[in-house]
Amino acid sequence: MKILSLQTPVSENIDENIAVVTKYMGAGCDGTVDLVTLPEMFACPYETKLFPAYAEEEGGRIWQQCSALARKYRVYLSAGSIPERDGFCIYNTAYVFNRDGQCIGKHRKAHLFDIDVPGQYYKESETLSPGNQATVFDTEFGKMGLCICYDMRFPELFRAMVAKGAKLVIIPAAFNMTTGPAHWELLIRTRAVDNQVFTVATAPARNEKGKYVSWGHSMIAGPWGNVLMQMDAREGYAITEINLGDVSKVRDSMPLLRQRRTDIY
């Protein structure tokens, strides 16, 4: 299968952000691409105080436009994430659409990004509520998992997705200039190695003038932990061809999942 990773810039204007996605899908979807991936909060700035203003219910304007793009280009579309309003709660929510534009996957970020490290303070829980499930969905290629950014730091969630059959995990994310250089590549490769899956992480392009500056470097790792694709910080797109059969080959040659000692842990 072929994956089109879109590392797009993010402005305060939803229509502009959708237009950029549309432009790059038009340029990259050549009839051979199967899966398109977008970044975390691709349609609005990554600022907690702004999430309520941008939030929409499932099936809202952004949801509909993403559904239409998946249908137009006949691709699976991992539509990054957007603020989702559900009653009095707001979630950081990722949707996946199939080639017919039907929503086949939905994940609410389970682990909220509440940190206070040198050079970076952020607290998603000021406006967001956490999700409560490990998300796996079916495709013509097999089962895929879905999580969002900070979720990647929790190996238990990854193992739960793999236990449900995931051979590839999609990760819309937005690591910053503190966490990105330290942990971005390390975590993407580690989760791939630990679970013998493909990891597909997609980030926004870097904007040095923004209040939240993304590390960028959208990346795909294989089940052996090898880097198959990594972008720099600039906006653009990359096409990567993978073979999901590699998952079975790696798991057969080094059967980590079968060798787990469930009697002691």
Side-chain angles (χ1 to χ4, degrees), residues 9 34 44 54 58 69 84 126 140 151 165 189 201 235 260:
D34 300 295
C44 73
Y54 283 89
E58 181 174 355
L69 284 170
E84 177 208 2
E126 289 176 342
E140 68 198 69
D151 284 337
R189 296 181 68 185
E235 74 171 271
R260 294 175 62 233

Side-chain angles (χ1 to χ4, degrees), residues 180-212:
H183 299 148
W184 175 253
E185 181 176 331
L186 175 67
L187 284 167
I188 294 167
R189 296 181 68 185
T190 298
R191 293 296 159 259
V193 170
D194 284 349
N195 298 282
Q196 299 174 313
V197 293
F198 286 93
T199 49
V200 181
T202 312
R206 187 179 303 171
N207 177 7
E208 299 284 0
K209 297 179 181 179
K211 291 186 177 180
Y212 185 94

Side-chain angles (χ1 to χ4, degrees), residues 48-253:
T48 54
K49 66 180 182 180
L50 297 179
F51 293 154
Y54 283 89
E56 62 175 40
E57 295 182 352
E58 181 174 355
R61 176 163 65 115
I62 301 172
W63 188 101
Q64 292 177 14
Q65 289 173 309
C66 289
S67 171
L69 284 170
R71 185 169 58 251
K72 177 180 179 179
Y73 291 105
R74 303 297 298 170
V75 294
Y76 289 92
L77 174 60
S78 169
S81 76
I82 61 173
E84 177 208 2
R85 185 181 301 278
D86 187 357
F88 294 105
C89 294
I90 297 173
Y91 300 93
N92 184 344
T93 301
Y95 299 104
V96 178
F97 300 90
N98 67 13
R99 299 182 192 272
D100 296 320
Q102 299 170 326
C103 185
I104 58 171
K106 175 182 177 179
H107 178 76
R108 289 170 169 170
K109 192 173 189 177
H111 303 90
L112 298 183
F113 188 51
D114 288 3
I115 66 161
D116 187 1
V117 300
Q120 186 68 43
Y121 172 84
Y122 205 85
K123 195 171 184 179
E124 280 187 325
S125 63
E126 289 176 342
T127 56
L128 298 178
S129 297
N132 59 5
Q133 67 178 13
T135 304
V136 172
F137 58 94
D138 290 305
T139 74
E140 68 198 69
F141 302 100
K143 294 183 181 294
M144 298 183 185
L146 178 65
C147 67
I148 302 173
C149 200
Y150 198 53
D151 284 337
M152 185 182 2
R153 292 184 179 271
F154 298 86
E156 298 88 349
L157 182 65
F158 255 76
R159 186 50 54 89
M161 289 186 282
V162 171
K164 291 183 176 183
K167 294 184 177 181
L168 178 151
V169 178
I170 300 170
I171 314 161
F175 276 37
N176 56 53
M177 299 299 290
T178 299
T179 59
H183 299 148
W184 175 253
E185 181 176 331
L186 175 67
L187 284 167
I188 294 167
R189 296 181 68 185
T190 298
R191 293 296 159 259
V193 170
D194 284 349
N195 298 282
Q196 299 174 313
V197 293
F198 286 93
T199 49
V200 181
T202 312
R206 187 179 303 171
N207 177 7
E208 299 284 0
K209 297 179 181 179
K211 291 186 177 180
Y212 185 94
V213 182
S214 169
W215 173 241
H217 289 82
S218 296
M219 178 176 164
I220 297 176
W224 191 247
N226 48 321
V227 177
L228 302 176
M229 182 281 294
Q230 184 166 189
M231 301 178 71
D232 56 23
R234 295 169 295 181
E235 74 171 271
Y237 67 90
I239 297 176
T240 310
E241 187 168 6
I242 68 169
N243 185 346
L244 282 176
D246 290 345
V247 171
S248 297
K249 292 178 181 178
V250 171
R251 290 180 180 179
D252 287 342
S253 63

